[in-house]
Amino acid sequence: MINSKSCGYCKQFLSEVFPEFNISKFPIIIIDDEDKPEWFSKALKENKIKPYRGTPYFIIWDEIEKYEINRIVGYLDRDTFYRDLKKKLLLHMNK
């Protein structure tokens, strides 16, 4: 998750979903938009992660192949997030 400390939607996600999220195959790693880790910046430069604007962004990352599988843009509520996540994962599994 690309997070901004000033983002209200990020704060909402972190209070509504993050504490209960328990899908070990897809852990949530919080990336501070103002202080990205080196591996993330490198993946952006190498086009393994597509450019993004704003927060929150949820990058669905293939840790084995080291590239972005898909993404969820923004956050509305818990149910919408899980519905979108399920759709994105099913799309990837059916490829």
Side-chain angles (χ1 to χ4, degrees), residues 42-56:
K42 182 179 177 188
L44 274 170
K45 286 178 188 172
E46 294 174 352
N47 293 317
K48 293 182 178 188
I49 295 175
K50 295 178 235 156
Y52 68 93
R53 292 190 329 202
T55 55

Side-chain angles (χ1 to χ4, degrees), residues 31-69:
I31 306 291
D32 184 344
D33 190 40
E34 300 296 320
D35 187 23
K36 296 172 201 73
E38 187 176 325
W39 70 267
F40 187 86
S41 296
K42 182 179 177 188
L44 274 170
K45 286 178 188 172
E46 294 174 352
N47 293 317
K48 293 182 178 188
I49 295 175
K50 295 178 235 156
Y52 68 93
R53 292 190 329 202
T55 55
Y57 257 83
F58 302 90
I59 306 294
I60 302 172
W61 179 255
D62 183 319
E63 182 57 27
I64 296 168
E65 299 294 326
K66 307 289 188 201
Y67 75 99
E68 177 181 340
I69 297 168

Side-chain angles (χ1 to χ4, degrees), residues 1-4 7-21 28 30 53-59 71-86 88:
M1 172 194 179
I2 303 168
N3 178 53
S4 171
C7 170
Y9 295 106
C10 296
K11 291 175 186 173
Q12 185 180 350
F13 172 83
L14 290 171
S15 70
E16 292 179 356
V17 176
F18 187 67
E20 72 181 23
F21 191 84
I28 296 176
I30 307 298
R53 292 190 329 202
T55 55
Y57 257 83
F58 302 90
I59 306 294
R71 62 175 55 194
I72 298 170
V73 179
Y75 177 77
L76 294 174
D77 58 55
R78 175 188 291 122
D79 293 338
T80 303
F81 173 79
Y82 281 114
R83 184 192 69 223
D84 291 349
L85 180 61
K86 182 178 179 182
K88 304 286 182 171

